[in-house]
Amino acid sequence: MDRTRTRTRPRTRPRIRRLGSLRARAAAAAALAMAAVLAAGGLWLYTLLRANLIENTTGRTELAARKVAAQVDAATLPADGRLGAPEGGVDLVLVRNAAGAVVATSGNLKDAPELTEVPPAPGSDSRSAVLPPVRPGAQRRVLVAVRAPGPLGAHAPHTIYAATVLGDVDDASRAVALGLLAGAPPLTVFSAALAWWVTGHALRPVTAIRTELASVTASELGRRVPDPGGADEIARLARTVNDTLDRLERSDARQRQFTADASHELRNPLAAVRSRLEVALRDPDRESVAAALADTERLQGIAADLLLLARLDGGPAPRAEPVDLALLAAEDVARRPERGARLQLDARAPVPASGDPARLERALANLVDNALRYARTGVVVRAAAEDGWALLEVADDGPGIAEADRDRVFERFVRLDADRGRASGGTGLGLAIAREIARAHGGDVHALPAPAGGTRLVLRVPPSAPPPSAAPART
């Protein structure tokens, strides 16, 4: 009894999924941005407000000290040493003489020892500082020291100290900090919710586009995504998707038509080959075998043209190498036998171009074959450089092509002459192949009326530097 081994697939480590939708990522980004702005802005506001309050308090305190200093200079201090209550919310003002004794005060003298730590620096008449609490439960104070010469001049300087408790400043700063901390979470949540709503509203057309695009199938290529209008990125995306669907639908229709035309073109020769072979089996003769061989050759031609078109549709770009279109035209004219319409060459100078010589030769041969099929007396093949293009022109003096059909003749399996049988002439793919080759080289083919009647088929491709070889002269 044989046992088969079952190979187990190696277990892969689970991938860490990122934050799901674009809406979630936008909401998270908005919340982080708001939190960062609130943190930076709140810190800046708190610092600025606190510094401003302390600066204002220091200014009021210094003003109270300088008022008392003016009294010292004018020798108008009260005799009992009791100063009036200072203005502006200043809590205490006292005066020390040069020996450090308190000569006047507006408050309790027990505070005097706490104010001797920040005398004015040498060479300066004032100094300010923020004193930390001196004991648990106490508050910080702003202290300003101002030096006054006194009534006896510089030999008896006095120092005036003014102090203001920072209780109001600390309370205001604390209230601002609590307000910022309390307002940050709601603002962060609000910004995230707003970003969620705005992103969802903005992406609603994208959801509609995705839903409609998911319903497009091979049998329903005519569906289009909704266009929200406007000129924003989503509107441009919708238009780009619809343009892509248009091209896809046209390509599918073209492919279906090409398949139907190819099937129709191959059916008749196959039926003819089968019937002739059946006749040859019953009554062998050379005429039936020759006719079957001709139909087989026609089948080979159709198959070769179909294969070439398939390569041109989905194949790589043609190779780029120097080629002289005048020499190409001369070689095509020289290899054709002189029978039927007369074939002339008009190539006065080299016509340098860049491309695949084999494919350009095939395109020219198709144009010449088409012209010879309809020409009455002659065909002129011309090579020239005009208007920045390298040209190959094939003109005939046949019945010409109506203006409405000059572009349609380059479609696949198109025959303008409904009376002409399919067995006579080409496969209906020659001009289509010529146009595809020209477009693959960055050019095109157009049908124009000839000056003396008939048709001019003009193939143009980008030029290149002149090749070293010279083209033949006009024959």
Side-chain angles (χ1 to χ4, degrees):
M1 179 177 180
D2 296 334
R3 297 183 179 180
T4 59
R5 292 185 178 180
T6 58
R7 300 182 60 184
T8 60
R9 297 178 61 184
R11 299 181 61 182
T12 57
R13 298 177 60 184
R15 297 177 60 184
I16 300 176
R17 298 184 60 184
R18 293 185 177 180
L19 205 58
S21 64
L22 181 60
R23 296 180 69 184
R25 293 198 294 271
L32 291 176
M34 178 59 73
V37 169
L38 289 176
L43 181 61
W44 174 80
L45 179 62
Y46 177 82
T47 304
L48 181 64
L49 176 63
R50 188 175 183 82
N52 190 22
L53 292 174
I54 293 177
E55 183 179 359
N56 291 337
T57 303
T58 303
R60 291 187 285 108
T61 305
E62 183 176 354
L63 178 61
R66 290 195 179 277
K67 286 182 179 180
V68 175
Q71 294 179 7
V72 172
D73 292 339
T76 59
L77 287 175
D80 59 357
R82 301 295 298 179
L83 298 174
E87 299 177 355
V90 178
D91 295 304
L92 176 66
V93 178
L94 60 85
V95 181
R96 290 183 182 275
N97 57 20
V102 177
V103 296
T105 180
S106 65
N108 194 347
L109 290 177
K110 68 178 182 178
D111 292 331
E114 302 176 2
L115 306 179
T116 59
E117 301 178 0
V118 285
S124 176
D125 67 340
S126 65
R127 182 179 179 183
S128 64
V130 176
L131 299 181
V134 294
R135 54 185 174 271
Q139 294 179 322
R140 298 185 310 149
R141 287 183 291 182
V142 168
L143 177 65
V144 176
V146 176
R147 181 176 286 117
L152 299 180
H155 298 288
H158 288 65
T159 303
I160 298 90
Y161 292 94
T164 303
V165 176
L166 292 177
D168 294 340
V169 174
D170 291 339
D171 291 341
S173 301
R174 188 179 303 107
V176 171
L178 292 177
L180 292 174
L181 292 176
L187 289 175
T188 302
V189 173
F190 174 75
S191 64
L194 182 62
W196 178 275
W197 181 83
V198 171
T199 307
H201 184 74
L203 293 179
R204 191 175 302 164
V206 177
T207 303
I209 292 172
R210 180 185 59 82
T211 303
E212 188 66 23
L213 191 60
S215 63
V216 176
T217 61
S219 59
E220 296 184 358
L221 288 177
R223 304 184 65 135
R224 295 295 179 268
V225 301
D227 187 350
D232 57 5
E233 291 78 2
I234 296 178
R236 291 198 294 268
L237 172 64
R239 297 186 190 108
T240 302
V241 170
N242 284 334
D243 292 342
T244 303
L245 291 176
D246 288 339
R247 292 192 298 269
L248 182 61
E249 185 179 16
R250 288 194 299 267
S251 177
D252 180 74
R254 182 180 179 185
Q255 187 68 27
R256 291 176 183 272
Q257 184 64 37
F258 178 74
T259 303
D261 291 340
S263 301
H264 184 71
E265 290 289 334
L266 292 173
R267 182 178 58 187
N268 292 338
L270 286 173
V273 170
R274 178 175 179 177
S275 62
R276 293 183 190 280
L277 291 177
E278 289 175 348
V279 171
L281 286 175
R282 292 193 303 268
D283 186 16
D285 59 3
R286 296 179 59 86
E287 183 178 355
S288 298
V289 175
L293 179 60
D295 288 336
T296 303
E297 292 176 350
R298 176 174 173 77
L299 281 174
Q300 288 179 335
I302 294 175
D305 289 345
L306 291 175
L307 179 60
L308 179 56
L309 276 174
R311 290 175 177 172
L312 291 174
D313 285 339
R319 58 180 181 176
E321 60 181 69
V323 57
D324 184 1
L325 298 188
L327 183 60
L328 208 68
E331 292 175 348
D332 185 87
V333 171
R335 76 167 61 97
R336 294 179 180 271
E338 295 185 2
R339 58 188 180 189
R342 182 185 177 190
L343 192 59
Q344 294 181 337
L345 174 67
D346 182 3
R348 303 176 182 274
V351 183
S354 179
D356 188 336
R359 290 192 177 182
L360 291 175
E361 181 181 356
R362 174 61 185 274
L364 176 61
N366 289 356
L367 298 182
V368 175
D369 289 341
N370 182 83
L372 290 174
R373 192 172 298 120
Y374 294 100
R376 294 190 179 95
T377 60
V379 173
V380 178
V381 180
R382 187 172 75 95
E386 294 180 0
D387 300 328
W389 293 93
L391 303 182
L392 282 173
E393 179 182 305
V394 180
D396 64 71
D397 56 355
I401 301 175
E403 184 176 358
D405 296 326
R406 287 174 188 166
D407 190 65
R408 197 167 69 89
V409 293
F410 295 100
E411 297 178 3
R412 302 173 184 187
F413 297 111
V414 170
R415 290 183 174 86
L416 301 181
D417 189 358
D419 297 333
R420 181 167 55 89
R422 291 183 180 272
S424 64
T427 63
L429 298 174
L431 295 184
I433 291 175
R435 169 166 282 188
E436 293 297 332
I437 292 175
R439 288 180 173 176
H441 285 77
D444 208 343
V445 180
H446 298 284
L448 303 172
T455 303
R456 286 189 303 142
L457 299 177
V458 182
L459 182 150
R460 63 179 187 178
V461 294
S464 67
S469 59
R474 180 189 179 111
T475 57

